Amino acid sequence: MLNTAALLVHSQDLDLIIRHVLAGLGHGLHAGRERGAGVEFSEYRAYAPGDEWRRVDWKLLARNDRYYVREAERDSHVAIWLWLDASASMAEPSYQYPGVTKLHFARAILACLAAVAQRQGDAFGLLVAQNARLQITPASRGPRQLHRVMAQLNQTQAQGALPDAAMVKSQLHFARAPSLIFAVSDFLEWPSSSSENLIRLRQMQHDVRALCLQTQAERNASFSTDVAYVDPEQPDNLVKISDSSRADYKTALEAHFANVAQQCRQVNIPYLAACIEQDIGKVLRDWLRLAGRA
């Protein structure tokens, strides 16, 4: 089977990538049904004070002289939110797969999550953080919603900086309990407005999951010493890696991401670091498995 990172090189068609990834996934995003008053019968249980009389099975009462209520399965009311960091640093390309950036990978993996949410019948929405703004596609259900989210993902480019914490906090009303938030970023800026508000959402009892994207060169410090690099969010900052500074760079990078992982653990946010050269299907399964969903 073709590696999806290689597939990204040859096609930016999110529909094609979704079909490729979901064919091997076979898992949902969460337990999509809960017990209660619904339409699909699950089991009987003894009547308890406060139960609705209309749920009492009168035929069973006639046979057993005891009150039983019918438990049914109903759809859960979990809303799925896809949080995309589309700031300028997400334009960092892979050196193994020229043309594939962190943003390409992030858009593809969130498109797969949107397709699974649509398949489960969940409401889902999209949040794009870029140009100091948080653009919200309100949560909804159905194929049309999937088309809306896909269209927004397709047109999103990596631009500008993340919105400030106060602006994001003012819009946290988007998440109505209970919500499931999948956040994809390179988390190079941590602490940041994103980290602060993701932690705040977790403390509000929402289920938050974080995926940190890197390039293989970034992780291994395998940058060429003949090229100078520009921070896209700080264009005046020109950086050139030398053989002597490579070890210091790796040490600082590892310390930074160890801190990110530790803070996520402290607030019970499942956190996964992945490279954009990896297969999207495997990354998605690994991410879901962290929360016991795969």
Side-chain angles (χ1 to χ4, degrees), residues 92 95 215 217-225 229 241 246 249:
E92 175 72 18
Y95 290 86
T215 67
E218 189 177 31
R219 177 177 289 185
N220 298 337
S222 55
F223 301 107
S224 170
T225 58
Y229 301 90
I241 298 292
R246 199 181 303 274
Y249 167 86

Side-chain angles (χ1 to χ4, degrees), residues 34-41 55 70-75:
E34 58 188 17
R35 290 178 180 170
V39 295
E40 184 176 335
F41 175 74
R55 293 172 56 198
R70 294 172 60 90
E71 283 281 8
E73 298 282 357
R74 64 182 177 190
D75 291 333

Side-chain angles (χ1 to χ4, degrees), residues 77-79 173-179 204-206:
H77 299 291
V78 172
H173 58 79
F174 75 84
R176 302 181 185 277
S179 292
M204 292 165 61
Q205 304 306 309
H206 297 294

Side-chain angles (χ1 to χ4, degrees), residues 85-91 129-133 157-163 186 189 231-235:
D85 175 355
S87 60
S89 67
M90 292 291 283
Q130 63 174 186
N131 286 331
R133 296 173 57 244
Q157 302 297 320
Q159 297 175 339
L162 293 170
D186 56 12
E189 190 179 342
D231 182 341
E233 295 181 21
Q234 300 180 26

Side-chain angles (χ1 to χ4, degrees), residues 9-41:
V9 176
H10 302 290
S11 173
Q12 298 299 324
D13 185 343
L14 289 179
D15 286 323
L16 176 62
I17 293 168
I18 285 172
R19 290 196 298 270
H20 179 85
V21 173
L22 296 194
L25 184 62
H27 299 284
L29 304 182
H30 65 97
R33 301 176 73 82
E34 58 188 17
R35 290 178 180 170
V39 295
E40 184 176 335
F41 175 74

Side-chain angles (χ1 to χ4, degrees), residues 248-291:
D248 291 337
Y249 167 86
K250 285 191 68 175
T251 299
L253 190 75
E254 289 168 2
H256 172 79
F257 287 114
N259 180 54
V260 174
Q262 180 183 21
Q263 290 193 29
C264 285
R265 284 194 301 271
Q266 287 174 345
V267 293
N268 196 26
I269 293 178
Y271 167 88
L272 179 69
C275 289
I276 64 174
E277 291 81 6
Q278 292 178 253
D279 183 80
I280 292 173
K282 182 180 185 307
V283 172
L284 184 56
R285 285 191 298 273
D286 289 346
W287 195 16
L288 295 174
R289 190 175 294 118
L290 280 180

Side-chain angles (χ1 to χ4, degrees), residues 79-210:
I80 309 297
W81 287 98
L82 310 173
W83 182 306
L84 174 62
D85 175 355
S87 60
S89 67
M90 292 291 283
E92 175 72 18
S94 165
Y95 290 86
Q96 181 179 348
Y97 298 110
V100 177
T101 67
K102 294 176 183 177
L103 185 67
H104 287 137
F105 195 97
R107 290 188 310 192
I109 207 161
L110 289 179
C112 292
L113 290 172
V116 176
Q118 192 271 324
R119 186 171 66 184
Q120 290 187 170
D122 290 315
F124 58 100
L126 176 67
L127 303 107
V128 178
Q130 63 174 186
N131 286 331
R133 296 173 57 244
L134 187 66
Q135 183 174 349
I136 301 176
T137 301
S140 187
R141 291 180 172 84
R144 289 187 179 181
Q145 175 68 357
L146 181 59
H147 294 157
R148 282 190 287 269
V149 168
M150 294 276 283
Q152 185 61 50
L153 287 171
N154 271 315
Q155 70 183 30
T156 297
Q157 302 297 320
Q159 297 175 339
L162 293 170
D164 63 46
M167 197 281 286
V168 178
K169 183 179 178 181
S170 70
Q171 299 190 58
L172 289 187
H173 58 79
F174 75 84
R176 302 181 185 277
S179 292
L180 177 53
I181 299 141
F182 289 92
V184 184
S185 172
D186 56 12
F187 293 117
L188 289 175
E189 190 179 342
W190 185 291
S192 67
S193 60
S194 290
S195 67
E196 179 178 327
N197 285 291
L198 289 174
I199 290 172
R200 180 176 288 112
L201 286 164
R202 182 68 193 97
Q203 291 169 339
M204 292 165 61
Q205 304 306 309
H206 297 294
D207 187 344
V208 181
R209 305 172 193 182

